[in-house]
């Protein structure tokens, strides 16, 4: 390249020298900026042209393979496509003589959805008559630490008070197995003994010390209803589960006083109109309460202890 440019320069100088010796004028044309720019763009466009043009699809790129001697078509599957098609529902009786298509295995997504909507029961609970009363919610056996898995962060341990009297340390070891893996840990206590004061006190103390919620049931049917309710309300908000109470004074006074045994809404109206407020009712004597119509000495003597017990309520 340098030799060619050098030779061209020498030729141009010779031409200029010859022209000057002969007395002729020599005009050197200098290209403009636009001419140089157009030549540069033309060269770059010709250089940017790709040498290889890819195919628009994979099948088009490898279509030549089918024409080669090394290509063999895939074998035809032996299983008929009818085995993968769900037969239509029949309204008439089923024909047991005809062979049915093999059932396809359930996918992991379907199985996980079924487990997510079901109560998972530990294999330890096999043979527990409580399972007969879980009727409104699906349940399945699984390898879990707790007795009943009611949600992603909710579990339950089943305890019979009769079994607790035979094995007092059973509940402690079961709670220790749970560790801190669950946010809500429920102890479902089946009260199946007559003398419940001492064993229930021990179970309550153990539940409080280990941050567990204690639910007491007096029948297996009630135990099953507790498990079903907790599972059904798993994703429900708290305000839907909690009861709604009116904000006016009369409704709150009625809610507080009707929680006392033998006190009805009529008695609440009588006490409210007579004494005016809950504080005045608390300060009243038994004689003043007995003189109210519909109250009487018997109802006052029975309910007076309960009235004193709610004296700390603020309404």
């Amino acid at each position: 390249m340098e030799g060619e440019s050098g030779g061209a320069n020498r030729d141009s100088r010779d031409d200029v020298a010859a022209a000057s010796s002969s007395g002729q004028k020599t005009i050197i044309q200098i290209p403009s900026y636009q001419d140089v720019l157009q030549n540069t763009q033309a060269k770059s466009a010709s250089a940017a042209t790709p040498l290889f043009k890819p195919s628009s699809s994979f099948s088009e790129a490898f279509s030549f393979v089918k024409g080669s001697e090394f290509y063999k078509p895939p074998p035809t599957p032996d299983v008929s496509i009818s085995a993968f098609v769900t037969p239509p529902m029949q309204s008439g009786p089923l024909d047991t003589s005809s062979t049915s298509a093999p059932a396809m295995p359930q996918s992991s997504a379907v199985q996980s959805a079924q487990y997510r909507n079901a109560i998972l029961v530990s294999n330890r609970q096999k043979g527990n008559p409580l399972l007969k009363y879980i009727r409104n919610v699906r349940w399945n056996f699984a390898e879990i630490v707790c007795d009943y898995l009611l949600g992603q962060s909710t579990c339950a341990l089943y305890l019979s008070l009769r079994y607790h009297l035979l094995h007092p340390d059973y509940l402690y070891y079961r709670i220790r197995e749970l560790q801190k893996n669950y946010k809500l840990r429920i102890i479902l206590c089946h009260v199946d003994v007559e003398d419940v004061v001492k064993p229930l006190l021990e179970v309550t103390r153990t539940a409080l010390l280990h941050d567990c919620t204690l639910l007491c049931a007096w029948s297996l049917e009630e135990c099953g209803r507790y498990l079903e309710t907790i599972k059904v309300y798993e994703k429900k908000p708290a305000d839907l589960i909690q009861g709604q109470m009116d904000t006016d004074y009369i409704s709150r006074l009625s809610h507080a006083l009707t929680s006392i045994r033998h006190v009805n809404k009529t008695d609440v109206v009588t006490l409210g109109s007579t004494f005016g407020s809950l504080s005045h009712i608390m300060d009243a004597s038994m004689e003043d309460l007995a003189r109210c119509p519909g109250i009487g000495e018997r109802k006052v003597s029975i309910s007076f202890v309960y009235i004193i017990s709610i004296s700390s309520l603020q309404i």
Side-chain angles (χ1 to χ4, degrees):
M1 295 295 294
E2 294 179 356
E4 293 178 359
S5 60
N9 293 332
R10 285 194 296 270
D11 294 340
S12 60
R13 286 197 298 269
D14 296 338
D15 294 339
V16 172
S20 59
S21 61
S22 61
Q24 296 180 358
K25 295 182 178 181
T26 303
I27 300 175
I28 301 175
Q29 295 182 355
I30 300 175
S32 64
Y33 172 76
Q34 294 181 353
D35 296 337
V36 174
L37 183 62
Q38 290 178 359
N39 294 333
T40 305
Q41 291 179 353
K43 291 180 180 180
S44 63
S46 61
T49 303
L51 300 178
F52 172 73
K53 183 179 180 182
S55 302
S56 58
S57 62
F58 181 84
S59 59
E60 181 181 353
F62 292 90
S63 59
F64 66 93
V65 178
K66 293 184 178 181
S68 63
E69 57 180 353
F70 304 101
Y71 175 76
K72 292 182 180 180
T76 305
D78 297 334
V79 182
S80 61
I81 195 173
S82 61
F84 298 93
V85 179
T86 304
M89 296 296 293
Q90 297 180 359
S91 58
L94 296 176
D95 186 7
T96 57
S97 60
S98 61
T99 58
S100 59
M104 291 294 294
Q106 291 182 340
S107 61
S108 59
V110 175
Q111 291 179 356
S112 61
Q114 290 180 355
Y115 284 143
R116 186 168 56 250
N117 298 327
I119 298 176
L120 299 184
V121 183
S122 174
N123 293 324
R124 296 181 179 182
Q125 296 295 309
K126 287 184 178 180
N128 191 344
L130 168 61
L131 300 177
K132 299 179 182 179
Y133 297 95
I134 304 178
R135 301 165 181 169
N136 300 322
V137 180
R138 188 188 303 110
W139 58 271
N140 296 309
F141 286 110
E143 291 291 340
I144 55 178
V145 179
C146 58
D147 291 337
Y148 300 93
L149 185 61
L150 306 174
Q152 295 181 356
S153 60
T154 305
C155 69
L157 294 177
Y158 173 78
L159 178 68
S160 170
L161 280 186
R162 184 174 301 175
Y163 187 84
H164 174 72
L165 292 175
L166 299 175
H167 306 277
D169 298 333
Y170 171 77
L171 181 60
Y172 169 74
Y173 288 111
R174 292 305 313 278
I175 295 177
R176 192 175 65 175
E177 290 179 354
L178 298 179
Q179 298 179 0
K180 299 294 182 180
N181 297 328
Y182 302 97
K183 184 178 180 180
L184 177 59
R185 301 183 297 177
I186 299 172
I187 298 177
L188 184 59
C189 182
H190 181 204
V191 183
D192 52 355
V193 294
E194 295 181 359
D195 189 6
V196 301
V197 177
K198 183 179 179 180
L200 198 56
L201 180 61
E202 295 175 355
V203 173
T204 304
R205 185 185 296 111
T206 305
L208 291 176
L209 291 177
H210 295 86
D211 298 330
C212 296
T213 302
L214 178 62
L215 294 179
C216 296
W218 274 259
S219 64
L220 293 175
E221 185 177 1
E222 187 177 358
C223 292
R225 188 163 61 249
Y226 273 131
L227 296 177
E228 292 174 351
T229 305
I230 296 172
K231 182 60 181 178
V232 169
Y233 285 91
E234 174 189 0
K235 300 180 181 179
K236 302 296 182 181
D239 54 354
L240 182 62
I241 303 175
Q242 296 175 351
Q244 297 181 357
M245 187 176 63
D246 298 330
T247 57
D248 58 307
Y249 183 82
I250 299 299
S251 300
R252 298 178 65 183
L253 180 65
S254 177
H255 179 75
L257 294 180
T258 51
S259 61
I260 304 171
R261 190 177 181 183
H262 302 298
V263 177
N264 51 34
K265 293 184 178 181
T266 304
D267 299 334
V268 174
V269 175
T270 302
L271 294 173
S273 59
T274 303
F275 298 99
S277 64
L278 181 63
S279 60
H280 293 162
I281 297 175
M282 298 303 162
D283 296 336
S285 61
M286 296 183 64
E287 291 77 9
D288 295 337
L289 295 174
R291 280 195 291 267
C292 294
I295 303 297
E297 296 180 357
R298 182 175 177 274
K299 184 176 291 188
V300 170
S301 61
I302 296 175
S303 306
F304 187 76
V305 178
Y306 296 94
I307 294 176
I308 297 301
S309 64
I310 64 170
S311 59
S312 59
L313 293 176
Q314 297 180 359
I315 299 181

